[in-house]
Amino acid sequence: MYVRETAPPAPSTDDLDALVAEPGAVWPEIARELEARGWQVRARRVWALEAHREGECEEVLAVSRDQAYERLRELARAHDAPHVP
């Protein structure tokens, strides 16, 4: 498994409108378009982890690094557990 250590993300809000768009960002326009078509859009920052082994792949999204690693461990243990026929 390849792990690259990075600083944790800055605290953020789940309110899309409160996030500040950088110049040239396209997400505000896309969000408005989707909302005009009846979609409810919510944006949030997440931790994304991937683990690869011999052709197997597990991917996890979670709101914190600890939660992501705990879920990834659960999935990896499920692969290693004996399977019931």
Side-chain angles (χ1 to χ4, degrees), residues 1-65:
M1 176 171 55
Y2 174 76
V3 177
R4 186 178 79 192
E5 288 295 323
T6 59
S12 64
T13 178
D14 282 344
D15 182 3
L16 180 64
D17 295 329
L19 297 174
V20 178
E22 297 176 8
V26 297
W27 68 261
E29 178 183 334
I30 295 169
R32 283 190 297 273
E33 175 189 328
L34 291 170
E35 289 169 347
R37 294 170 46 203
W39 292 96
Q40 293 180 345
V41 179
R42 183 177 75 166
R44 59 188 166 150
R45 295 181 183 183
V46 297
W47 281 92
L49 298 182
E50 294 179 7
H52 300 269
R53 177 181 72 178
E54 300 172 2
E56 297 176 323
C57 177
E58 290 295 346
E59 298 178 347
V60 174
L61 296 177
V63 296
S64 74
R65 181 189 289 191

